[in-house]
Amino acid sequence: MPDFMGLMKQAAQLQTRMQEMQAELETIEVEGTAGGGMVTVRLSAKGDLKGVKIDDSLVKPEEKEIIEDLLIAAHADARRKAEAVMQEKMK
């Protein structure tokens, strides 16, 4: 029986460590660029889109903020759909 108890303790420790790592990934941000820096996106290490910047030369200045917000919303929608598909496939 001691082997089983030791295994359960290790599983609990692993679960705790995984939860800590997931929380840490939420705080880490990475940045990607395209077009020589004309478009920049910020993501959490978990893949959540945190921000988008588009160079003024690519769009009308009065439309820039709307486009950036729409890109974030579209990304969130796609992630939700991808997670739903993944959940369905895992059943």
Side-chain angles (χ1 to χ4, degrees), residues 3-35:
D3 288 337
F4 180 72
M5 294 305 288
L7 193 59
M8 292 298 291
K9 185 177 179 181
Q10 285 179 337
Q13 290 172 340
L14 181 59
Q15 183 177 15
T16 299
R17 180 66 183 131
M18 290 296 291
Q19 290 170 343
E20 290 170 355
M21 286 176 32
Q22 290 291 327
E24 184 180 348
L25 290 176
E26 282 291 335
T27 64
I28 297 171
E29 289 188 2
V30 296
E31 196 170 90
T33 61

Side-chain angles (χ1 to χ4, degrees), residues 18-80:
M18 290 296 291
Q19 290 170 343
E20 290 170 355
M21 286 176 32
Q22 290 291 327
E24 184 180 348
L25 290 176
E26 282 291 335
T27 64
I28 297 171
E29 289 188 2
V30 296
E31 196 170 90
T33 61
M38 296 181 84
V39 176
T40 303
V41 295
R42 268 188 5 260
L43 298 177
S44 74
K46 288 183 78 174
D48 296 326
L49 186 59
K50 298 293 186 177
V52 175
K53 291 183 185 175
I54 300 172
D55 189 271
D56 290 339
S57 67
L58 295 175
V59 294
K60 296 178 185 174
E62 65 273 10
E63 295 174 354
K64 183 177 145 190
E65 188 174 338
I66 294 168
I67 293 170
E68 291 171 345
D69 290 343
L70 288 172
L71 285 168
I72 293 169
H75 179 270
D77 183 50
R79 278 193 57 112
R80 280 190 298 276

